[in-house]
């Protein structure tokens, strides 16, 4: 999985609780991404980062925040989890020549269940 | 909305046969990529074709791109049981890359 780890790999939580997912890379890639994968929707981009402390919103960013204080770590936070955020979350990295629409390398995923 | 949309949603073939999956997209793109996902795993990049390319090969994979029809196809030749997976296309423009919902390929031994 291209030197990308995600933690935790599985989490069950209750509605209204905060949740933080971590993505760690050892490839020193500039770009990092958080996606969610739901049946019938493919992958949808939540947030991405193009450098330390540089982040931007994706297609489905409502209810999520991110932080990147080091090149190797990208955190995704659900401030108050809802059942609609039950999903599989994937982190990805890339070192694109331009923009961020270049080859991406994915982590193993985190399965989050919000009860 | 999805930029890339795969067709068919599911495909079942016998080992040794060829598998063809199609992808359509809506707007102009810089490149189109194909990824594979085995059950319970992350996506693995297979091949990237740029908007000025028409065909690209990688091992048993052949990808075509028709920008006039806004479509791409992925051909897997001489399929193997290990090719069983979901396949996703991702269409990228200057500022966005969006994945389709995928084609589920089953290769029967």
């Amino acid at each position: 999985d291209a030197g990308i780890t995600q933690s935790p790999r599985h989490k069950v939580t209750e509605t209204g609780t905060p949740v933080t997912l971590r993505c760690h890379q050892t490839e020193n890639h500039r770009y990092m991404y958080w996606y969610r994968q739901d049946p019938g929707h493919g992958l949808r981009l939540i947030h991405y980062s193009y450098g330390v402390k540089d982040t931007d919103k994706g297609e489905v960013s409502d209810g999520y925040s991110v932080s990147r204080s080091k090149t190797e770590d990208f955190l995704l936070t659900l401030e108050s989890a809802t059942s609609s955020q039950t999903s599989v979350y994937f982190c990805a990295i890339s070192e694109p020549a331009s923009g961020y629409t270049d080859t991406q390398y994915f982590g193993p995923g985190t399965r989050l269940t919000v009860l | 909305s999805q930029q890339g949309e795969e067709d068919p949603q599911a495909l079942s073939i016998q080992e040794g046969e060829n598998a063809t999956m199609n992808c359509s997209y809506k707007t102009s793109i810089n490149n189109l990529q194909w990824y594979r996902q085995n059950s319970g795993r992350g996506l693995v990049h297979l091949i990237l074709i740029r908007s000025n390319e028409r065909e690209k090969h990688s091992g048993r994979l052949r990808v075509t791109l028709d920008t006039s029809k806004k479509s791409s196809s992925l051909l897997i030749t001489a399929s193997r049981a290990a090719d069983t997976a979901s396949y996703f296309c991702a269409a990228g423009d200057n500022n966005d890359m969006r994945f389709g919902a995928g084609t589920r390929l089953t290769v029967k031994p």
Side-chain angles (χ1 to χ4, degrees), chain A residues 1 9 35 37 40-43 45 48 59 90 98-109 111, chain B residues 1-2 31 33 35 37 40-43 45 48 50 88 92-101:
Chain A
D1 290 322
R9 294 293 314 280
Y35 291 91
Q37 184 176 33
H41 288 278
L43 272 78
L45 182 65
Y48 70 99
E59 182 186 359
F90 287 98
S98 62
Y100 67 82
T101 62
D102 215 325
T103 301
Q104 296 184 12
Y105 303 93
F106 284 79
R111 183 172 295 275
Chain B
S1 63
Q2 292 174 347
N31 63 63
Q33 302 176 45
Y35 289 80
Q37 184 181 34
R41 306 289 296 274
L43 276 71
H45 181 258
L48 180 153
R50 301 202 182 277
F88 297 86
D93 61 19
N94 285 328
N95 298 299
D96 200 11
M97 185 170 89
R98 297 202 179 184
F99 290 80

mmCIF file of all heavy atoms in Angstrom, chain A residues 1 9 35 37 40-43 45 48 59 90 98-109 111, chain B residues 1-2 31 33 35 37 40-43 45 48 50 88 92-101:
data_model
loop_
_atom_site.group_PDB
_atom_site.id
_atom_site.type_symbol
_atom_site.label_atom_id
_atom_site.label_comp_id
_atom_site.label_asym_id
_atom_site.label_seq_id
_atom_site.Cartn_x
_atom_site.Cartn_y
_atom_site.Cartn_z
ATOM 1 N N ASP A 1 0.809 -1.209 0.000
ATOM 2 C CA ASP A 1 0.000 0.000 0.000
ATOM 3 C C ASP A 1 0.847 1.265 0.000
ATOM 4 O O ASP A 1 0.516 2.268 0.623
ATOM 5 C CB ASP A 1 -0.954 0.008 1.206
ATOM 6 C CG ASP A 1 -2.053 -1.032 1.086
ATOM 7 O OD1 ASP A 1 -2.542 -1.230 -0.030
ATOM 8 O OD2 ASP A 1 -2.387 -1.648 2.103
ATOM 9 N N ARG A 9 -8.205 0.919 11.933
ATOM 10 C CA ARG A 9 -8.709 0.241 10.747
ATOM 11 C C ARG A 9 -10.212 0.009 10.844
ATOM 12 O O ARG A 9 -10.908 -0.034 9.830
ATOM 13 C CB ARG A 9 -8.007 -1.101 10.559
ATOM 14 C CG ARG A 9 -6.530 -0.992 10.239
ATOM 15 C CD ARG A 9 -6.278 -0.366 8.843
ATOM 16 N NE ARG A 9 -7.122 -0.925 7.815
ATOM 17 C CZ ARG A 9 -6.879 -2.085 7.210
ATOM 18 N NH1 ARG A 9 -5.809 -2.782 7.527
ATOM 19 N NH2 ARG A 9 -7.708 -2.530 6.278
ATOM 20 N N TYR A 35 -10.972 10.294 1.224
ATOM 21 C CA TYR A 35 -12.162 9.932 0.482
ATOM 22 C C TYR A 35 -13.068 9.108 1.383
ATOM 23 O O TYR A 35 -12.624 8.459 2.324
ATOM 24 C CB TYR A 35 -11.810 9.041 -0.724
ATOM 25 C CG TYR A 35 -11.063 9.705 -1.841
ATOM 26 C CD1 TYR A 35 -9.667 9.714 -1.870
ATOM 27 C CD2 TYR A 35 -11.740 10.280 -2.908
ATOM 28 C CE1 TYR A 35 -8.980 10.297 -2.923
ATOM 29 C CE2 TYR A 35 -11.055 10.864 -3.967
ATOM 30 C CZ TYR A 35 -9.676 10.868 -3.964
ATOM 31 O OH TYR A 35 -9.004 11.434 -5.014
ATOM 32 N N GLN A 37 -16.057 5.999 0.762
ATOM 33 C CA GLN A 37 -16.589 5.083 -0.238
ATOM 34 C C GLN A 37 -17.882 4.490 0.265
ATOM 35 O O GLN A 37 -17.910 3.856 1.330
ATOM 36 C CB GLN A 37 -15.601 3.963 -0.567
ATOM 37 C CG GLN A 37 -16.096 3.045 -1.685
ATOM 38 C CD GLN A 37 -15.082 1.993 -2.067
ATOM 39 O OE1 GLN A 37 -14.316 1.503 -1.242
ATOM 40 N NE2 GLN A 37 -15.058 1.638 -3.349
ATOM 41 N N GLY A 40 -22.649 2.317 -4.478
ATOM 42 C CA GLY A 40 -23.344 3.076 -5.504
ATOM 43 C C GLY A 40 -22.791 4.454 -5.768
ATOM 44 O O GLY A 40 -23.242 5.139 -6.690
ATOM 45 N N HIS A 41 -21.772 4.884 -4.961
ATOM 46 C CA HIS A 41 -21.225 6.228 -5.140
ATOM 47 C C HIS A 41 -19.758 6.237 -5.514
ATOM 48 O O HIS A 41 -19.198 7.281 -5.785
ATOM 49 C CB HIS A 41 -21.397 7.052 -3.860
ATOM 50 C CG HIS A 41 -22.815 7.467 -3.600
ATOM 51 N ND1 HIS A 41 -23.385 8.566 -4.201
ATOM 52 C CD2 HIS A 41 -23.757 6.932 -2.811
ATOM 53 C CE1 HIS A 41 -24.634 8.686 -3.783
ATOM 54 N NE2 HIS A 41 -24.894 7.706 -2.945
ATOM 55 N N GLY A 42 -19.120 5.118 -5.536
ATOM 56 C CA GLY A 42 -17.697 5.140 -5.783
ATOM 57 C C GLY A 42 -16.983 5.871 -4.662
ATOM 58 O O GLY A 42 -17.423 5.872 -3.514
ATOM 59 N N LEU A 43 -15.880 6.524 -4.993
ATOM 60 C CA LEU A 43 -15.139 7.307 -4.004
ATOM 61 C C LEU A 43 -15.472 8.781 -4.173
ATOM 62 O O LEU A 43 -15.484 9.295 -5.293
ATOM 63 C CB LEU A 43 -13.628 7.116 -4.191
ATOM 64 C CG LEU A 43 -13.031 5.951 -3.444
ATOM 65 C CD1 LEU A 43 -13.326 4.667 -4.170
ATOM 66 C CD2 LEU A 43 -11.526 6.124 -3.276
ATOM 67 N N LEU A 45 -14.385 12.668 -2.756
ATOM 68 C CA LEU A 45 -13.340 13.402 -2.057
ATOM 69 C C LEU A 45 -13.936 14.255 -0.942
ATOM 70 O O LEU A 45 -14.872 15.026 -1.160
ATOM 71 C CB LEU A 45 -12.592 14.289 -3.055
ATOM 72 C CG LEU A 45 -11.427 15.104 -2.505
ATOM 73 C CD1 LEU A 45 -10.298 14.185 -2.030
ATOM 74 C CD2 LEU A 45 -10.911 16.067 -3.559
ATOM 75 N N TYR A 48 -8.587 17.604 0.869
ATOM 76 C CA TYR A 48 -7.241 17.247 0.456
ATOM 77 C C TYR A 48 -6.254 18.289 0.967
ATOM 78 O O TYR A 48 -6.648 19.389 1.388
ATOM 79 C CB TYR A 48 -7.129 17.077 -1.061
ATOM 80 C CG TYR A 48 -7.246 18.348 -1.860
ATOM 81 C CD1 TYR A 48 -6.117 19.002 -2.325
ATOM 82 C CD2 TYR A 48 -8.496 18.874 -2.187
ATOM 83 C CE1 TYR A 48 -6.221 20.160 -3.079
ATOM 84 C CE2 TYR A 48 -8.609 20.032 -2.931
ATOM 85 C CZ TYR A 48 -7.471 20.674 -3.380
ATOM 86 O OH TYR A 48 -7.587 21.823 -4.123
ATOM 87 N N GLU A 59 -15.589 17.355 -2.554
ATOM 88 C CA GLU A 59 -16.988 17.288 -2.962
ATOM 89 C C GLU A 59 -17.960 17.169 -1.785
ATOM 90 O O GLU A 59 -19.066 17.696 -1.830
ATOM 91 C CB GLU A 59 -17.154 16.078 -3.898
ATOM 92 C CG GLU A 59 -18.536 15.863 -4.457
ATOM 93 C CD GLU A 59 -18.616 14.560 -5.246
ATOM 94 O OE1 GLU A 59 -17.584 13.844 -5.360
ATOM 95 O OE2 GLU A 59 -19.707 14.244 -5.748
ATOM 96 N N PHE A 90 -10.894 6.246 2.972
ATOM 97 C CA PHE A 90 -9.591 5.962 2.389
ATOM 98 C C PHE A 90 -8.754 7.229 2.342
ATOM 99 O O PHE A 90 -9.225 8.303 1.974
ATOM 100 C CB PHE A 90 -9.734 5.415 0.960
ATOM 101 C CG PHE A 90 -10.229 4.014 0.906
ATOM 102 C CD1 PHE A 90 -11.570 3.759 0.677
ATOM 103 C CD2 PHE A 90 -9.362 2.946 1.087
ATOM 104 C CE1 PHE A 90 -12.043 2.452 0.621
ATOM 105 C CE2 PHE A 90 -9.825 1.645 1.044
ATOM 106 C CZ PHE A 90 -11.172 1.402 0.815
ATOM 107 N N SER A 98 1.374 18.459 -11.737
ATOM 108 C CA SER A 98 0.599 19.698 -11.664
ATOM 109 C C SER A 98 -0.784 19.368 -11.142
ATOM 110 O O SER A 98 -1.303 18.291 -11.386
ATOM 111 C CB SER A 98 0.498 20.356 -13.039
ATOM 112 O OG SER A 98 -0.174 19.504 -13.937
ATOM 113 N N GLY A 99 -1.395 20.298 -10.424
ATOM 114 C CA GLY A 99 -2.713 20.075 -9.862
ATOM 115 C C GLY A 99 -2.701 18.843 -8.981
ATOM 116 O O GLY A 99 -1.675 18.467 -8.443
ATOM 117 N N TYR A 100 -3.794 18.190 -8.850
ATOM 118 C CA TYR A 100 -3.787 16.961 -8.067
ATOM 119 C C TYR A 100 -4.446 15.818 -8.804
ATOM 120 O O TYR A 100 -4.745 14.797 -8.236
ATOM 121 C CB TYR A 100 -4.429 17.168 -6.699
ATOM 122 C CG TYR A 100 -5.918 17.458 -6.676
ATOM 123 C CD1 TYR A 100 -6.850 16.438 -6.752
ATOM 124 C CD2 TYR A 100 -6.377 18.762 -6.533
ATOM 125 C CE1 TYR A 100 -8.205 16.691 -6.698
ATOM 126 C CE2 TYR A 100 -7.729 19.018 -6.478
ATOM 127 C CZ TYR A 100 -8.629 17.987 -6.551
ATOM 128 O OH TYR A 100 -9.964 18.246 -6.498
ATOM 129 N N THR A 101 -4.632 15.937 -10.084
ATOM 130 C CA THR A 101 -5.305 14.867 -10.814
ATOM 131 C C THR A 101 -4.298 13.922 -11.451
ATOM 132 O O THR A 101 -4.353 13.645 -12.626
ATOM 133 C CB THR A 101 -6.226 15.469 -11.889
ATOM 134 O OG1 THR A 101 -5.430 16.208 -12.822
ATOM 135 C CG2 THR A 101 -7.264 16.362 -11.263
ATOM 136 N N ASP A 102 -3.361 13.469 -10.672
ATOM 137 C CA ASP A 102 -2.376 12.520 -11.158
ATOM 138 C C ASP A 102 -2.490 11.223 -10.354
ATOM 139 O O ASP A 102 -3.358 11.089 -9.510
ATOM 140 C CB ASP A 102 -0.969 13.122 -11.046
ATOM 141 C CG ASP A 102 -0.074 12.682 -12.188
ATOM 142 O OD1 ASP A 102 -0.225 11.518 -12.621
ATOM 143 O OD2 ASP A 102 0.767 13.474 -12.632
ATOM 144 N N THR A 103 -1.617 10.292 -10.606
ATOM 145 C CA THR A 103 -1.709 8.982 -9.967
ATOM 146 C C THR A 103 -1.746 9.117 -8.455
ATOM 147 O O THR A 103 -0.935 9.831 -7.870
ATOM 148 C CB THR A 103 -0.504 8.122 -10.368
ATOM 149 O OG1 THR A 103 -0.493 7.983 -11.782
ATOM 150 C CG2 THR A 103 -0.586 6.753 -9.713
ATOM 151 N N GLN A 104 -2.693 8.426 -7.849
ATOM 152 C CA GLN A 104 -2.815 8.431 -6.403
ATOM 153 C C GLN A 104 -2.580 7.026 -5.861
ATOM 154 O O GLN A 104 -2.905 6.031 -6.515
ATOM 155 C CB GLN A 104 -4.193 8.948 -5.984
ATOM 156 C CG GLN A 104 -4.416 10.408 -6.380
ATOM 157 C CD GLN A 104 -5.731 10.971 -5.905
ATOM 158 O OE1 GLN A 104 -6.432 10.376 -5.090
ATOM 159 N NE2 GLN A 104 -6.080 12.150 -6.399
ATOM 160 N N TYR A 105 -2.029 6.963 -4.652
ATOM 161 C CA TYR A 105 -1.738 5.697 -3.982
ATOM 162 C C TYR A 105 -2.559 5.668 -2.710
ATOM 163 O O TYR A 105 -2.528 6.610 -1.915
ATOM 164 C CB TYR A 105 -0.243 5.589 -3.685
ATOM 165 C CG TYR A 105 0.594 5.729 -4.937
ATOM 166 C CD1 TYR A 105 1.091 6.959 -5.325
ATOM 167 C CD2 TYR A 105 0.841 4.624 -5.745
ATOM 168 C CE1 TYR A 105 1.825 7.092 -6.492
ATOM 169 C CE2 TYR A 105 1.588 4.747 -6.914
ATOM 170 C CZ TYR A 105 2.064 5.992 -7.283
ATOM 171 O OH TYR A 105 2.783 6.124 -8.442
ATOM 172 N N PHE A 106 -3.264 4.554 -2.541
ATOM 173 C CA PHE A 106 -4.262 4.485 -1.488
ATOM 174 C C PHE A 106 -3.807 3.661 -0.290
ATOM 175 O O PHE A 106 -3.081 2.674 -0.424
ATOM 176 C CB PHE A 106 -5.555 3.878 -2.041
ATOM 177 C CG PHE A 106 -6.340 4.844 -2.880
ATOM 178 C CD1 PHE A 106 -5.981 5.095 -4.187
ATOM 179 C CD2 PHE A 106 -7.419 5.520 -2.345
ATOM 180 C CE1 PHE A 106 -6.686 6.003 -4.970
ATOM 181 C CE2 PHE A 106 -8.140 6.431 -3.104
ATOM 182 C CZ PHE A 106 -7.762 6.671 -4.422
ATOM 183 N N GLY A 107 -4.299 4.083 0.868
ATOM 184 C CA GLY A 107 -4.134 3.296 2.077
ATOM 185 C C GLY A 107 -5.148 2.176 2.146
ATOM 186 O O GLY A 107 -6.000 2.039 1.266
ATOM 187 N N PRO A 108 -5.106 1.369 3.216
ATOM 188 C CA PRO A 108 -5.956 0.188 3.316
ATOM 189 C C PRO A 108 -7.391 0.485 3.727
ATOM 190 O O PRO A 108 -8.250 -0.381 3.623
ATOM 191 C CB PRO A 108 -5.266 -0.668 4.383
ATOM 192 C CG PRO A 108 -4.571 0.345 5.234
ATOM 193 C CD PRO A 108 -4.132 1.432 4.316
ATOM 194 N N GLY A 109 -7.680 1.691 4.189
ATOM 195 C CA GLY A 109 -9.038 2.051 4.544
ATOM 196 C C GLY A 109 -9.343 1.910 6.028
ATOM 197 O O GLY A 109 -8.704 1.140 6.752
ATOM 198 N N ARG A 111 -12.871 1.399 8.331
ATOM 199 C CA ARG A 111 -14.323 1.178 8.330
ATOM 200 C C ARG A 111 -14.892 1.806 9.579
ATOM 201 O O ARG A 111 -14.574 1.394 10.694
ATOM 202 C CB ARG A 111 -14.652 -0.309 8.279
ATOM 203 C CG ARG A 111 -16.145 -0.599 8.201
ATOM 204 C CD ARG A 111 -16.423 -2.071 7.953
ATOM 205 N NE ARG A 111 -15.939 -2.514 6.660
ATOM 206 C CZ ARG A 111 -16.613 -2.404 5.531
ATOM 207 N NH1 ARG A 111 -17.813 -1.831 5.523
ATOM 208 N NH2 ARG A 111 -16.108 -2.859 4.407
ATOM 209 N N SER B 1 -22.036 15.070 -8.264
ATOM 210 C CA SER B 1 -22.264 14.213 -9.436
ATOM 211 C C SER B 1 -20.974 13.506 -9.768
ATOM 212 O O SER B 1 -19.883 13.972 -9.439
ATOM 213 C CB SER B 1 -22.736 15.038 -10.611
ATOM 214 O OG SER B 1 -21.739 15.963 -10.977
ATOM 215 N N GLN B 2 -21.089 12.369 -10.437
ATOM 216 C CA GLN B 2 -19.921 11.580 -10.769
ATOM 217 C C GLN B 2 -19.380 12.026 -12.113
ATOM 218 O O GLN B 2 -20.112 12.153 -13.082
ATOM 219 C CB GLN B 2 -20.285 10.097 -10.803
ATOM 220 C CG GLN B 2 -20.620 9.545 -9.438
ATOM 221 C CD GLN B 2 -21.127 8.122 -9.493
ATOM 222 O OE1 GLN B 2 -21.456 7.645 -10.567
ATOM 223 N NE2 GLN B 2 -21.194 7.449 -8.383
ATOM 224 N N ASN B 31 -6.658 13.832 -17.930
ATOM 225 C CA ASN B 31 -6.287 12.432 -17.998
ATOM 226 C C ASN B 31 -7.422 11.576 -17.465
ATOM 227 O O ASN B 31 -8.369 12.082 -16.839
ATOM 228 C CB ASN B 31 -5.007 12.155 -17.186
ATOM 229 C CG ASN B 31 -5.190 12.423 -15.702
ATOM 230 O OD1 ASN B 31 -5.989 11.775 -15.034
ATOM 231 N ND2 ASN B 31 -4.441 13.366 -15.167
ATOM 232 N N GLN B 33 -7.888 7.736 -15.468
ATOM 233 C CA GLN B 33 -7.150 6.662 -14.811
ATOM 234 C C GLN B 33 -8.080 5.494 -14.517
ATOM 235 O O GLN B 33 -9.292 5.671 -14.343
ATOM 236 C CB GLN B 33 -6.555 7.175 -13.500
ATOM 237 C CG GLN B 33 -5.643 8.369 -13.683
ATOM 238 C CD GLN B 33 -5.139 8.914 -12.364
ATOM 239 O OE1 GLN B 33 -4.730 8.175 -11.484
ATOM 240 N NE2 GLN B 33 -5.182 10.231 -12.221
ATOM 241 N N TYR B 35 -8.383 2.176 -11.823
ATOM 242 C CA TYR B 35 -7.920 1.589 -10.577
ATOM 243 C C TYR B 35 -8.636 0.267 -10.351
ATOM 244 O O TYR B 35 -9.762 0.063 -10.810
ATOM 245 C CB TYR B 35 -8.232 2.519 -9.389
ATOM 246 C CG TYR B 35 -7.406 3.779 -9.331
ATOM 247 C CD1 TYR B 35 -7.725 4.879 -10.134
ATOM 248 C CD2 TYR B 35 -6.325 3.888 -8.463
ATOM 249 C CE1 TYR B 35 -6.972 6.046 -10.072
ATOM 250 C CE2 TYR B 35 -5.573 5.055 -8.392
ATOM 251 C CZ TYR B 35 -5.905 6.122 -9.200
ATOM 252 O OH TYR B 35 -5.158 7.281 -9.141
ATOM 253 N N GLN B 37 -9.774 -2.517 -7.190
ATOM 254 C CA GLN B 37 -9.958 -2.680 -5.755
ATOM 255 C C GLN B 37 -10.384 -4.104 -5.459
ATOM 256 O O GLN B 37 -11.448 -4.542 -5.886
ATOM 257 C CB GLN B 37 -11.007 -1.706 -5.213
ATOM 258 C CG GLN B 37 -11.164 -1.787 -3.692
ATOM 259 C CD GLN B 37 -12.213 -0.833 -3.161
ATOM 260 O OE1 GLN B 37 -13.214 -0.581 -3.818
ATOM 261 N NE2 GLN B 37 -11.988 -0.278 -1.980
ATOM 262 N N GLY B 40 -12.287 -5.407 0.352
ATOM 263 C CA GLY B 40 -11.735 -5.046 1.652
ATOM 264 C C GLY B 40 -10.390 -4.355 1.606
ATOM 265 O O GLY B 40 -9.765 -4.161 2.655
ATOM 266 N N ARG B 41 -9.935 -3.982 0.421
ATOM 267 C CA ARG B 41 -8.624 -3.348 0.289
ATOM 268 C C ARG B 41 -8.746 -1.956 -0.318
ATOM 269 O O ARG B 41 -9.817 -1.533 -0.762
ATOM 270 C CB ARG B 41 -7.726 -4.206 -0.618
ATOM 271 C CG ARG B 41 -7.588 -5.655 -0.194
ATOM 272 C CD ARG B 41 -6.772 -5.794 1.060
ATOM 273 N NE ARG B 41 -5.407 -5.361 0.899
ATOM 274 C CZ ARG B 41 -4.421 -6.134 0.447
ATOM 275 N NH1 ARG B 41 -4.672 -7.369 0.087
ATOM 276 N NH2 ARG B 41 -3.196 -5.645 0.340
ATOM 277 N N GLY B 42 -7.632 -1.244 -0.322
ATOM 278 C CA GLY B 42 -7.603 0.059 -0.971
ATOM 279 C C GLY B 42 -7.495 -0.077 -2.476
ATOM 280 O O GLY B 42 -7.307 -1.159 -3.009
ATOM 281 N N LEU B 43 -7.620 1.049 -3.165
ATOM 282 C CA LEU B 43 -7.519 1.038 -4.618
ATOM 283 C C LEU B 43 -6.072 0.974 -5.051
ATOM 284 O O LEU B 43 -5.190 1.559 -4.411
ATOM 285 C CB LEU B 43 -8.159 2.303 -5.210
ATOM 286 C CG LEU B 43 -9.670 2.254 -5.427
ATOM 287 C CD1 LEU B 43 -10.398 2.278 -4.104
ATOM 288 C CD2 LEU B 43 -10.109 3.419 -6.305
ATOM 289 N N HIS B 45 -3.603 1.654 -8.383
ATOM 290 C CA HIS B 45 -3.552 2.294 -9.693
ATOM 291 C C HIS B 45 -3.124 1.295 -10.759
ATOM 292 O O HIS B 45 -2.152 0.551 -10.576
ATOM 293 C CB HIS B 45 -2.557 3.459 -9.651
ATOM 294 C CG HIS B 45 -2.457 4.203 -10.936
ATOM 295 N ND1 HIS B 45 -1.429 4.027 -11.822
ATOM 296 C CD2 HIS B 45 -3.276 5.113 -11.500
ATOM 297 C CE1 HIS B 45 -1.604 4.790 -12.864
ATOM 298 N NE2 HIS B 45 -2.720 5.476 -12.695
ATOM 299 N N LEU B 48 -2.802 5.147 -16.446
ATOM 300 C CA LEU B 48 -3.237 6.528 -16.666
ATOM 301 C C LEU B 48 -3.067 6.832 -18.146
ATOM 302 O O LEU B 48 -2.010 6.546 -18.722
ATOM 303 C CB LEU B 48 -2.399 7.489 -15.826
ATOM 304 C CG LEU B 48 -2.698 9.002 -15.913
ATOM 305 C CD1 LEU B 48 -2.287 9.683 -14.597
ATOM 306 C CD2 LEU B 48 -1.994 9.664 -17.071
ATOM 307 N N ARG B 50 -3.468 10.046 -20.891
ATOM 308 C CA ARG B 50 -3.636 11.487 -20.968
ATOM 309 C C ARG B 50 -4.572 11.845 -22.106
ATOM 310 O O ARG B 50 -4.791 11.059 -23.025
ATOM 311 C CB ARG B 50 -2.273 12.167 -21.118
ATOM 312 C CG ARG B 50 -1.353 11.848 -19.947
ATOM 313 C CD ARG B 50 -0.236 12.837 -19.740
ATOM 314 N NE ARG B 50 0.620 12.423 -18.637
ATOM 315 C CZ ARG B 50 0.354 12.660 -17.356
ATOM 316 N NH1 ARG B 50 -0.730 13.324 -17.015
ATOM 317 N NH2 ARG B 50 1.177 12.253 -16.415
ATOM 318 N N PHE B 88 -12.437 0.801 -11.208
ATOM 319 C CA PHE B 88 -12.951 2.163 -11.193
ATOM 320 C C PHE B 88 -12.200 3.023 -12.198
ATOM 321 O O PHE B 88 -10.975 2.919 -12.317
ATOM 322 C CB PHE B 88 -12.769 2.798 -9.807
ATOM 323 C CG PHE B 88 -13.532 2.122 -8.724
ATOM 324 C CD1 PHE B 88 -13.002 1.035 -8.045
ATOM 325 C CD2 PHE B 88 -14.785 2.583 -8.349
ATOM 326 C CE1 PHE B 88 -13.707 0.400 -7.037
ATOM 327 C CE2 PHE B 88 -15.493 1.970 -7.334
ATOM 328 C CZ PHE B 88 -14.954 0.879 -6.679
ATOM 329 N N GLY B 92 -9.936 13.137 -14.616
ATOM 330 C CA GLY B 92 -9.309 14.290 -13.996
ATOM 331 C C GLY B 92 -9.213 15.486 -14.929
ATOM 332 O O GLY B 92 -8.744 15.357 -16.064
ATOM 333 N N ASP B 93 -9.645 16.644 -14.446
ATOM 334 C CA ASP B 93 -9.400 17.877 -15.181
ATOM 335 C C ASP B 93 -8.379 18.688 -14.377
ATOM 336 O O ASP B 93 -7.681 18.136 -13.540
ATOM 337 C CB ASP B 93 -10.696 18.637 -15.449
ATOM 338 C CG ASP B 93 -11.408 19.052 -14.170
ATOM 339 O OD1 ASP B 93 -10.763 19.087 -13.096
ATOM 340 O OD2 ASP B 93 -12.607 19.337 -14.246
ATOM 341 N N ASN B 94 -8.302 19.985 -14.595
ATOM 342 C CA ASN B 94 -7.261 20.773 -13.926
ATOM 343 C C ASN B 94 -7.391 20.769 -12.408
ATOM 344 O O ASN B 94 -6.405 20.874 -11.703
ATOM 345 C CB ASN B 94 -7.303 22.212 -14.437
ATOM 346 C CG ASN B 94 -6.718 22.324 -15.831
ATOM 347 O OD1 ASN B 94 -5.807 21.583 -16.177
ATOM 348 N ND2 ASN B 94 -7.245 23.221 -16.629
ATOM 349 N N ASN B 95 -8.610 20.716 -11.935
ATOM 350 C CA ASN B 95 -8.801 20.914 -10.503
ATOM 351 C C ASN B 95 -9.631 19.834 -9.826
ATOM 352 O O ASN B 95 -9.964 19.982 -8.660
ATOM 353 C CB ASN B 95 -9.488 22.261 -10.253
ATOM 354 C CG ASN B 95 -8.653 23.420 -10.735
ATOM 355 O OD1 ASN B 95 -7.535 23.615 -10.257
ATOM 356 N ND2 ASN B 95 -9.165 24.163 -11.684
ATOM 357 N N ASP B 96 -9.953 18.792 -10.530
ATOM 358 C CA ASP B 96 -10.877 17.830 -9.963
ATOM 359 C C ASP B 96 -10.608 16.459 -10.540
ATOM 360 O O ASP B 96 -10.253 16.324 -11.695
ATOM 361 C CB ASP B 96 -12.314 18.269 -10.284
ATOM 362 C CG ASP B 96 -13.339 17.647 -9.369
ATOM 363 O OD1 ASP B 96 -12.939 17.044 -8.354
ATOM 364 O OD2 ASP B 96 -14.540 17.766 -9.653
ATOM 365 N N MET B 97 -10.741 15.450 -9.706
ATOM 366 C CA MET B 97 -10.677 14.076 -10.191
ATOM 367 C C MET B 97 -11.790 13.306 -9.504
ATOM 368 O O MET B 97 -11.797 13.242 -8.269
ATOM 369 C CB MET B 97 -9.332 13.422 -9.887
ATOM 370 C CG MET B 97 -9.208 12.026 -10.502
ATOM 371 S SD MET B 97 -7.549 11.378 -10.407
ATOM 372 C CE MET B 97 -7.615 10.563 -8.820
ATOM 373 N N ARG B 98 -12.698 12.739 -10.285
ATOM 374 C CA ARG B 98 -13.847 12.079 -9.690
ATOM 375 C C ARG B 98 -13.941 10.647 -10.180
ATOM 376 O O ARG B 98 -13.767 10.361 -11.353
ATOM 377 C CB ARG B 98 -15.127 12.844 -9.995
ATOM 378 C CG ARG B 98 -15.106 14.237 -9.395
ATOM 379 C CD ARG B 98 -16.480 14.810 -9.219
ATOM 380 N NE ARG B 98 -16.412 16.144 -8.623
ATOM 381 C CZ ARG B 98 -17.458 16.852 -8.296
ATOM 382 N NH1 ARG B 98 -18.673 16.376 -8.520
ATOM 383 N NH2 ARG B 98 -17.333 18.043 -7.767
ATOM 384 N N PHE B 99 -14.273 9.785 -9.228
ATOM 385 C CA PHE B 99 -14.364 8.362 -9.498
ATOM 386 C C PHE B 99 -15.795 7.959 -9.828
ATOM 387 O O PHE B 99 -16.756 8.523 -9.304
ATOM 388 C CB PHE B 99 -13.921 7.571 -8.264
ATOM 389 C CG PHE B 99 -12.455 7.660 -7.986
ATOM 390 C CD1 PHE B 99 -11.917 8.766 -7.349
ATOM 391 C CD2 PHE B 99 -11.604 6.622 -8.346
ATOM 392 C CE1 PHE B 99 -10.559 8.849 -7.088
ATOM 393 C CE2 PHE B 99 -10.244 6.691 -8.079
ATOM 394 C CZ PHE B 99 -9.721 7.803 -7.457
ATOM 395 N N GLY B 100 -15.914 6.931 -10.649
ATOM 396 C CA GLY B 100 -17.209 6.330 -10.883
ATOM 397 C C GLY B 100 -17.529 5.320 -9.798
ATOM 398 O O GLY B 100 -16.739 5.096 -8.875
ATOM 399 N N ALA B 101 -18.697 4.688 -9.926
ATOM 400 C CA ALA B 101 -19.156 3.719 -8.924
ATOM 401 C C ALA B 101 -18.541 2.341 -9.136
ATOM 402 O O ALA B 101 -18.674 1.476 -8.271
ATOM 403 C CB ALA B 101 -20.676 3.627 -8.929
#
